[in-house]
Amino acid sequence: MELGSVHNNNNNAPPTAFTTTHTAPVAAGGPLTSESYKELDIDSEPLSTKPVRRPTGWMTSLANKFKGRGAMVPKTGNRIIPISSSRSTPLIQPETGKPFVSNAVTTARYTLWDFLPKQLYAQFSKIANVYFLFVASLQMVPGWSTTGQYTTLVPLVLFLSIAIAHEGYDDLRRHRQDSGENNQPANVFRSYRNATNSISSHTQQPSTASASAYPLPTSASSRRPFNSFTSESPASPAELSITIPLTPATVTPTPNLAVFQQIKWKDLAVGDIIRVDQNDWVPADLILLHSSGPDGGCYVETAALDGETNLKQRQALKVTNEMIQTPEDIATFTGCAHTEQPNQDLYNFEGYLQVGQGRNQPRYPLSINQILLRGTILRNTPYIYGLIVFSGEDTKIRQNGSKNVRTKAPSMQRLINKVIIVIFSIVIFLSALCTVLSAVWTTRNSKPGHLAWYLTAKNAMKSDTASILFGYIVLFNTMIPISLYVTMELVKLLQAYFIHHDIEMYDPVSNTPAEARTTVINEELGQVSYLFSDKTGTLTENIMVFRKFCVAGHSFNHDLDPESIIAAAKTAQENQEIAVSTGHDHSADGSEDTHRRHKYRSKAGKVVGKLKRSSRHASQRSASGYQSLGGKDAHADRDQSRSGQYPDSIHAGNMPSYVETIVPCTPTSQLVPFLRSGTRHVMADRIRFFLLSMALCHDAVPELMDESDPTSFKYQAASPDENALVAGAMELGYVFLERSRGGIRVRSMPTSPDEVPQEEFYEILNIIEFSSKRKRMSVIYRMPDGQICLFTKGADSIILERVRDPQTGLADFQNLDTPMPFTPDSVHGYDGMDPLASLEYSKSGKSRHNLNRSSTSGAGVGGGGDNAAGKAKGLTHGRQQSGTYKNSGAEGYGRSSIEEDDMGAYFFGQTPGWTQSEMWEYQQTMDHIQEYATTGLRTLLYGHRFLSKEEYSLWSKKYADAQSALDGRQEKLEQVAELLEQNLDMTGATAIEDKLQDGVPETIDKLRRAGIRLWMLTGDKRETAINIGYSCRLIKDYSSTIILDVPTQAQAHKAMNKAMKDVMKGKSRHVVVVIDGATLGIVEQSTELMALFVELGIRADSVICCRVSPAQKALVVKTVRARCKNTVTLAIGDGANDIAMIQEANVGIGITGKEGLQAARSSDYSIAQFRFLERLLFVHGRWSYVRVSKFVLGTFYKCATFYLTQGLFQIFTGFSGTSLYEQWTLSFYNTLFSSLPVMVVGMFEQDLKASTLLLVPELYTFGPRNSGFSLVTYGTWMAAAVYQAIASLMVPLWIAGAIGKFGVEPDDESLFPMGLGVYTTIVLVVTFKIAYLETHNWSIVTHITSFMTILAWFGYNTAYSFFYPVRTGGYHVRGAFQSLAAHLPFWLTIIVASMIAILPNIMAKIIKAQLYPSDVDLYQELEKDPEAVQRWKEWEVELGNQGAEAEGVTGSKIQRRLSIAASIVSRHSSRRAPSLSSRRGPSKSQQAMDANRNDSFMAVGRHSQDARRESFGEGADQVGDLWGPSSHRRGASSASQMTRDRLSRTSSGSSRDAKDSGPWSATQLHFPRPLPVPADSDFSISSTTPLQLGVRRSSSAGHVYDRRMV
Amino acid sequence: MSTDPKTRKPANTAFKQQRLKAWQPILTPKTVLPTFILVGILFAPIGGLLLWASDTVAEVVIDYTQCETAGANFVPVPQGSYSTNFPGKVDVVEPPAFKAVPSVQEGTNATWPTTKCTVKFTIPDTMKKPVFVYYRLSNFYQNHRRYVKSIDAKQLSGTPRTAAELSGGSCDPLAVYKEGDAQFPIYPCGLIANSVFNGNPFLNPFDSTTNGARPYLLSETGISWPSDAKKYGVQTYPDLSQIRPPPNWIKQYPNGYSAASPPIDVSKDEHFQVWMRTAGLPNFRKLYSKNTDDDLQKGTYTMDINMNYNVTSYGGTKSIVISTVSFMGGRNPFLGIAYVVVGVICVVLGLVFTARHLYKPRRLGDHTYLSWNQNAATNAAMANASATSATATGASARY
């Protein structure tokens, strides 16, 4: 076996590559030359020498070592897997000299042997347990213990046993799971040489023949037929490892029998070839050799791996797919796979395959496309053959599984630890004090003449300090409750149970309840101060809907997807009668899209006044009602019905994105008929080409939902955006039908009514995939007519960089044949006052006709290379634009013969010129993109470029080289791709709507009211982020937005300092800091700057970080967490990119959303909707916090009270350490006689009702302020404990000491009855205090457990007095309780003692509640007030109204947002295309636009004035001036004021803040419905005015920093 | 992954939704004031009743520690060293007196010189049966840890325990007796047994010196706990010469144990059993004798006490207590006092709260008290401070 040897085979061209020697020189950016590849360093040298990334770090390795994972072998180089079916020995891993790891997977952490030692180690790594062990050992020393010898050890062993048993049970379950998984059957290929009976049946389709149906050829069914072992069962790995490798001669006989044999998963080994049938789990990481699917393709479901439910396509190499058809083929197939070493990367794979023997065979590159990972399921494919490359722990899923995750501990844990330290100090102090006092006492009583002779045998006493001290430590140790951790776990378990079962946090749509994946940090949910939220999928739904597009500067509004209309219409037809007659919904089981539509409708319903959230019935009824309108010919009618059915009000209410303010969009409902009308308008061609590119440029897979209906396509794509785009193309007539290996089939739109749709095949030459780094994807097609065209789509900024500079001056459709010889000078000329340009513009109306004379097809093809050669960079070379492309089957729509008809005029005639110039097009497109972005849409830009054959073949060779590179293939591919993705023509732009999730703005409002600072961390671009910020009310209308966008550290420092000063001055009432990933990248390089940034962020009200990477997200969280050590940070996200952040934050919450379950898996809690956060935090968090606080305090309190009596009692024992209580009774205190009430508090306490907590988010500050558990609260509880200990001890002792008995006859002055009296008092007092005085919610559980506790105590004593062994010294238990219980004074003593102990506590509580009521006290009172409750109910209705209004309100805010976002966007784009905008001279069009701009200037100015006034205004009422007639607003405000007064019955506290932030502050809630936004067509955003806009904004708020502004 | 069609919707039960029926009481004047008054009304009379019951108990306590110094003639017991309580309007005519004369105490095996103290006391009114006689020690730490554990239950139950078994056990430091290299178990071992209130100190009966009343006989049986008897068994050491008495028993057993002078039968010796039931507090009394048959008629009585027990060395006192019982047991004014005090406090508090409530009532759920309404300026300052310290982020002033 060759190990890591260098294969130098440059001669071996990959078989798919073009062998061309074309070396046309060309400038950068132009067609490719071999020269340009040199620097790319494309090296097909396969062996990587860098170590494979593994989770390293000494912690991990230590952990791994401990976990028995063994030392990690540094794995370098390739894994080489010879393919030979006849191999008899397992492959040897070169690094270790042993076979590759077994395919058995162990998720279990322990084996039978190491379980106990490991568990003991784990248990005793908890400091408390060590402490108790220490105490237990002290206790074991005879003579030291004051409390018996085993009273600590036994509970300790008990609790440890419980914990260990729990762990053991968990591990047992894991073992069972493992063995279940490891013993699953797999069909492995075996070939046998010496079979006697020939079996030919295996040539049949394996999918139909079960492997077990094959009889094994010999009785010796050995797994390795050729080795010397004849064991019946598959040989264990241990056996195999000692198998003597046989020589090749014996290994490679010609097998005459090839079967698939069923073995267990765990017996699979690297190098085995297996068959996986449809719907089977893939048992190991495989190289796909052959698939029974079309062209060697197959589909896998990777839900278990990454949570994505869409199917992914995998593709066998052509060569192997063809060579291996039958099992016999496998037997004869030889080859060698060179792969990377095991790693975590789920999305990449590097390797190559050589077929045949010998190292110089051609290499076929392997990528992730050929890999089936363990944990995936084969779908839609009968069967596949695969070669195992990674087995067992080497598989990617396992590599990902063993992550070293930060273990989270609640911040309260720190406080608890502090308290424990305090208690420990108290214990030590008390022990020392008592020891000293004991010594003093002993000395005093051993003086001659004052000798307590009865205590000594001799005439002197000496104190045994050690014994006394340790005795005391033993006596007091239980002040630290031994059961704290165990019971706390139970308590939190139930809390988690409640979270999981909360019906209010159950999402019926996704059938997902909330889930607590950890129980450790429940209380942290109630203490959150900082919330870090992802945007996509968290705040937004991540449902992408294709909304708008822009071609040649014209924007089109695609407001509905007919797909669902079709579906809806169909359903409606079926259900029409029922739906109408009963008004009941029967279409619930319609397609998913139908459902989506329902949701959409339900929103609409809400807007128009339906208050009930997600009122399913109402919405579905309305949907049904709508459906009933759908005719049979949905295609024909849908546009009409759509426009009729979806009035604008819905749009305005649903999403701000619908407000069209800039340029009126043409609805596609009108466009489609136009395109199909047979019109001959160049615009139609452009649009068609754009739609075609939408249908072509993607990675999606179509799925026919319904065989009978050829239109029912559903697409599976990697990203929802892509899905939306392909679906959008389908809706507009370009139906992507089928993807095969070679290409895709598209049914195009007929160009005239009498045509039928044509199906065309587009051959895929290359797909350059999307990556987050590239931010674009490209596909190269050979069009049906043979042209080669590159389609690229990607982020607009990225594509913009790659679009060729526009043809200046005239739109050059008429000049296509003769490229305009523009020089750089002429560009400048254009920038200036180019008379030609203005002339051209003046002619534009006329020129329209000329423009339609576009070139003949293919005119520009190939011209690029020639043209560009000598031209200056940036000047284009011939027109290769869409117009030239001739649609096969249809008339060439770029023909000059096309005459504009009326339809065209109708659409494009009214505009100043449908395409005056390319410049204009660009300008318009950019404007539209900005418009899309500012209305919250996600934009993509499409580009294309026709390639000459030579150019392509040259490039494709290099691309193929890069593809086969093993090392750094990704970078090489990117570099090569970069060469081609230049000088694109702009095809068009798309806008996809990313819907906000239900209730997000309201939730964010409430979170803010709760004092939680929100940071939005998103990968999206700034404009989108800011916009979502507005729509989800993260940014208020009156907010000052500080935008940090600086190129250097120094400037960052300066900007942040200035911002800091402004924030500190409190100039603005609401500050939002916006930073992008690039700036953050600069900031994070310096810890000082990062600290400054975090400082700024902490002081601001919100922070938005856009364009940040997952690592940056985590870094931000980490820095904030480090900065604010005692606050709780919460991160919420839904995607894989949020995992780092989720794990970094104190509390990580995963949204079980569209992007899958990855985030949810690694989160602490998962919820289905962002709005559930409200309930999770305000109710469950609050309650958990209160519960845990009270539980911990109660636990410490009860122990302190009890053990302090022991300490106090020492006064009466000469400080000798005598226990007042019998030892076992003593040690049962914590478990039997005091644990239940405190646990009930920890499980069931509700200090305020859920409805109150939800209604008054301000109450949430209780947690972040640590009001529940702090050293102060601990102090008050301890004060109670001390007092009650004194009272509980002294009163009975005083009474008993005076009478010498509790009236018992004969006398019993002995210790036990006295202790019994005190103990009983303590049990009563503690139970009462915890269960009633400190519990607000007295449920049946409280009563039962209190009763049980007291019953247990008396029952225990009764039993004790009857069954206690007679012959003991010290405590005279037998019979004591019987006689005590029969005597009234005993009970009277206990009652009065309890009263004396508890009364002051009650009084203190009353006085506090009456004179210094806390918020909780007040709201507890309010809850009791029936009037208040009634008002709250009204409030809930109002809240519902608010929900509806809020959506309306957002619409009216659009203008403002536009103005702000525009400044950013425009600056943004001005950087990209300065030549487009800033240097332009005033043409007429320019003037016209300037006029618009002035309007917009004024508009913005007005707004910003308002904003300023508002920002620095005195009263909240001024808010009202912003969006409507002030009188109107004032009225509303005063109305709200009145409401408030009515509610609160007081008019005091009317300070500004009280108004704003108080629970009754209704200023926002009582906004009137917004005035409809005027169709403000002259309010346009222009990219040409960045400076003014920016300055204006900054002057209004004084907070905008931008290097380009300065 | 198999898709589970069944719904995961949580069950809508009161428990799971945390809607269990509950009472959420709050401390309002309306609820609190009546409660206080009620408690006061309940407790005060109970206290009165208890005080009355306690007062029905007749009791005489005479501290005779200083008897030895009294000399041969009766001297009055110093003021403060005695106390009497008799129900009704009975004045003690005469303070008790004591005198001490040298005497010889006769034990079962030996005699030894001692001082006999004679205490004379007057019973002004008949003490109703049953009458109990206690001895009372003060400042005696029977609950001292070293003391309280210094007992060997097995040995006392009759099991012969060897020196080796006892050595280092709970009886230390009085487990074994060392004579050279030899070790002999002490029987009964331990500090408690060693310091037993020894040697029949109180001589029966009370001798009536006036009014011609008969001597008042007291029974010394039935004074220990019945259950205690089970703890003790006759010792079964085969060779009594191999065990030694505790050091303090030397007067009773000057020659150690032998067949002729066997150890006491702990299962029968109730005084021993009473002593062994160690007291929980340093001042305690132990029952010595009782008469359940006859009332103690009024008159003057004398009682003889052998002054065997040294209490002065550790600053303690010893007293004799003669007491009757009420239905509530012995005399115990403290319980009644406690009740009266609690009752009075409750009533007073109730009145104070009422006054306060009437004078300056606070409305339920008064918003002005809400933390975010309290003082906007303070709040703003706090918010700033919180931003500075970033420890607490409360409701910010900037909304």
Side-chain angles (χ1 to χ4, degrees), chain A residues 143-144 377 450 454 501 511 529 1099 1187 1218 1299 1307 1309 1337 1372 1388 1403 1409 1415 1421 1548 1553 1560, chain B residues 1 8 17-18 24 141 143 145 225 231 280 284-285 313 332 339 349 362 365 367-368 371 393 397-398:
Chain A
W144 281 7
I377 306 174
H450 203 278
Y454 54 92
H501 284 91
N511 190 21
S529 297
R1099 279 153 205 251
R1187 286 166 183 178
T1218 308
I1299 58 169
D1307 266 8
E1309 284 206 314
N1337 195 45
H1372 307 277
L1388 289 175
M1403 286 184 310
D1415 302 342
E1421 290 170 10
S1548 58
D1553 292 288
W1560 315 113
Chain B
M1 293 232 160
R8 300 172 67 204
Q17 301 309 318
Q18 308 194 61
Q24 287 132 348
Y141 285 82
N143 60 9
R145 180 167 153 232
W225 273 66
K231 294 180 186 172
F284 58 89
R285 66 185 190 180
S313 83
N332 180 17
Y339 269 85
L349 280 172
R362 174 173 80 71
H367 278 96
T368 52
S371 65
T393 50
R398 292 175 305 204

Side-chain angles (χ1 to χ4, degrees), chain A residues 463-485:
Chain A
S463 55
D464 181 0
T465 313
S467 145
I468 297 278
L469 181 67
F470 287 126
Y472 271 119
I473 291 178
V474 169
L475 186 69
F476 291 135
N477 82 80
T478 21
M479 272 206 204
I480 300 169
I482 197 167
S483 58
L484 178 67
Y485 294 97

Side-chain angles (χ1 to χ4, degrees), chain A residues 1368-1370, chain B residues 147-153 156 170-171 189-190 192 232 276:
Chain A
T1368 52
Chain B
Y147 188 86
V148 81
K149 72 175 179 64
S150 192
I151 188 175
D152 191 277
L156 289 176
S170 59
C171 273
C189 71
I192 310 176
Y232 303 101
M276 294 303 279

